[in-house]
Amino acid sequence: MSTDHHAGLEDIEVLKSGICEIRQDKLSFRGYNITDLAENACFEETAFLLWNDSLPSEQELRDFKTALRAEYHLPREITEHINHVPREAHPMAVLRTLISSLGLYDPESADNSAPALRRRSIRLLAKIPLLVAAIARHRNARSHVEANPELDIAANFLQCLYGEDPDTETARLLDTALVLYAEHELNASTFTARVTAATRADTYSCIVAAVSALQGSLHGGANQKALEMLLTIGSPENAEAYLLPRLKKKEIIMGFGHRVYKKGDPRVPVLKRMCAQLADKTGQKQIVETAARAEEIMLREKKLYPNVDFYAGLAFYLLGLGADLFTCVFALSRTAGYLAHIAEQYEENKLIRPRAVYTGKKDLPFVPLAAR
Amino acid sequence: MSTDHHAGLEDIEVLKSGICEIRQDKLSFRGYNITDLAENACFEETAFLLWNDSLPSEQELRDFKTALRAEYHLPREITEHINHVPREAHPMAVLRTLISSLGLYDPESADNSAPALRRRSIRLLAKIPLLVAAIARHRNARSHVEANPELDIAANFLQCLYGEDPDTETARLLDTALVLYAEHELNASTFTARVTAATRADTYSCIVAAVSALQGSLHGGANQKALEMLLTIGSPENAEAYLLPRLKKKEIIMGFGHRVYKKGDPRVPVLKRMCAQLADKTGQKQIVETAARAEEIMLREKKLYPNVDFYAGLAFYLLGLGADLFTCVFALSRTAGYLAHIAEQYEENKLIRPRAVYTGKKDLPFVPLAAR
């Protein structure tokens, strides 16, 4: 073996997949362009597409929504457990714990067959948004709100979060954000889900592992960090004074650049339009202008484009979500993609086990404790 | 990109590491041969070596043990939570949940700096065995046993599990098994820990992700499956009748073969001696003879050697542990290795994000719901 290793597995193809195509800075799910999906399909439709390799008919979508809504409830033990969680714990750490806990109440959790996986997928896609809303309410010392089985996932999430029915436009914008975040090939957390599935671990283990990896600031945690940066900058005039010294010190600026997209993230244009719309609606124009100024400076100085996390963070903020909740919203959406990848991995499996280049000491004689 | 992908990342070197060397079917930790360590070093010494790149002096080992023993207690919320866990849930799923929960009670969980990571590593290495023992006792409807800070990790684990001080020989044999299981380069769960650490996720997330991946029957779950198979076979005379038809049907026989070792697992000889010793002590010779016969048949029929899980499962059984607990014992040992790899990953980090070969449909025109 050489010392010429594949750092970060950059551009290394590890498996075949029919779920998500990234080609010349274009993104599609099962052959459908992301912009078409964001503009025309709801989150449930997108999840159905990811799991079935075709868009649902009207009847199929109705049945799918009915199955999801039938899972709009949490085990009593979990809602009670949430009340005992320390309020200061990060919502992603709590979500990781509660998804894991959810697995303890699923009697068929060890069954990885396709029909059991399908039931479990519906359960997880329906229940994770309820967990996120319940975590957020507990964190703010508010009482638990029951789900409304008349509502779609995005609208119901807002209802569980705020305790009142959301307006149609807000729900639709969140729904669009969920479509954009639903899937993205072998990003670090989806890859984690597949490495876990490849050991034949149960599905809860796979989702827990994925959500664990999503938490990091170089991955899902980036949307929170990017928004916090925008709030710190505060106004367009401050953007240069904030960014230039940091760029000089080679600090990473959250929300810019992407391992895969070199000429801009195809999810950004839809999100930018959404942010402009929300700024009009809420009157919060200054932060949107600050984002635009930061974008200009980063392109001029570093030829780096904003990524999905930069404008998704801003969109979530304008939708009224707390910054500490952003990554959880990313998680509830990406669960759709994780589950498509887990199904694919279970179906045609090979253990994922790379090697390391050994750079340490060699062939040392053992010295007994007393002689050290 | 080609369709010639690196399936399972077999032989693909993804990073540099100074922790574990596997060379020509030899295994060493930080330069020290595994057989030397298993025969001469205790588990605490091995963990110190993995984390510090040198064996401890007598004083260093004393200080290290003192620091570990100071962490021999669980948050009250966790011991209370265990009492509410469904008894039928798999111990690995419960362990995954409780390690995640442990992170909620660590006020410095978000601090990935080296000194904070060191404190957290000691905490996790000390507390995970307590969790495993508590889970096992709850599963068997027995009350919680407090740790004994006079004992080393292996002996204290047995004390917490059975509620009485173990005999010296049993504790020493378990300790040896923990040394053998402590580390093994980029196996699937350690790789999962590093993919997670590479997003800059917190340490609890990394360990939770690793333990999630360890659960699978192609990885840590194999020791339980292998022992269950030996119990099913029952006696040496039945081994052919059990194995041959299954080999003909190309079923995977748990506990044989290894992605990395093609000519035998270097951890097996020590474990085999341990099993012989335990069989002498306990009088359970039949299962050891059954294992030897299965080994002969697998070598003759498939040229496959037994791996660590085959004889570790048998050793754990002879030590009196329940089969459903084996993977948890693997986890409490491998935590030493995970934490060494997490430290290395935080220190010199690059996001681990491979690609997939896209094999699905392309460029489909979007069809509105009403027209499908």
Side-chain angles (χ1 to χ4, degrees), chain B residues 31-73:
Chain B
Y32 294 99
N33 188 282
I34 187 64
T35 312
D36 287 343
L37 291 171
E39 288 173 352
N40 301 291
C42 69
F43 179 57
E44 285 83 350
E45 225 172 323
T46 307
F48 185 100
L49 169 67
L50 290 169
W51 299 354
N52 294 280
D53 200 22
S54 65
L55 286 165
S57 68
E58 286 186 285
Q59 184 59 46
E60 283 171 327
L61 184 58
R62 257 195 307 274
D63 293 347
F64 188 59
K65 287 186 175 186
T66 303
L68 283 163
R69 290 169 180 194
E71 291 289 342
Y72 277 9
H73 54 85

Side-chain angles (χ1 to χ4, degrees), chain A residues 1 6 12-13 23 31 45 53 56 96-97 100 185 202 205 215 259 351 353 355 357 361 372, chain B residues 1 6 12-13 15 45 53 56 96-97 100 185 202 205 215 259 351 353 355 361 363 372:
Chain A
M1 293 191 194
H6 300 287
I12 291 292
E13 294 168 324
R23 176 169 38 112
E45 228 172 322
D53 200 21
R96 179 190 72 204
T97 308
S100 181
E185 206 223 32
D202 74 51
S205 290
Q215 187 215 51
R259 170 72 67 88
L351 186 73
R353 201 279 184 222
R355 296 299 306 271
V357 181
K361 299 171 191 165
R372 283 175 215 152
Chain B
M1 291 191 196
H6 300 287
I12 292 290
E13 294 167 324
L15 47 84
E45 225 172 323
D53 200 22
R96 180 190 71 204
T97 308
S100 182
E185 205 223 32
D202 73 51
S205 290
Q215 187 215 51
R259 170 71 68 87
L351 186 73
R353 201 280 184 219
R355 296 299 307 270
K361 299 171 191 167
D363 301 319
R372 282 175 217 153

Side-chain angles (χ1 to χ4, degrees), chain A residues 42-52 64 68 125 182 336-337 340:
Chain A
C42 69
F43 179 58
E44 284 83 350
E45 228 172 322
T46 306
F48 185 99
L49 170 67
L50 290 168
W51 298 355
N52 294 279
F64 188 59
L68 284 163
L125 198 70

Side-chain angles (χ1 to χ4, degrees), chain A residues 51-101:
Chain A
W51 298 355
N52 294 279
D53 200 21
S54 64
L55 286 165
S57 68
E58 286 187 285
Q59 185 59 47
E60 284 171 327
L61 185 58
R62 257 195 307 274
D63 293 347
F64 188 59
K65 286 187 176 186
T66 303
L68 284 163
R69 289 167 182 197
E71 292 289 343
Y72 277 8
H73 54 86
L74 294 172
R76 189 181 44 77
E77 294 88 344
I78 303 260
T79 46
E80 279 173 13
H81 183 190
I82 293 174
N83 291 330
H84 294 98
V85 161
R87 290 222 158 80
E88 61 281 10
H90 193 283
M92 278 297 281
V94 184
L95 182 63
R96 179 190 72 204
T97 308
L98 295 180
I99 296 173
S100 181
S101 198

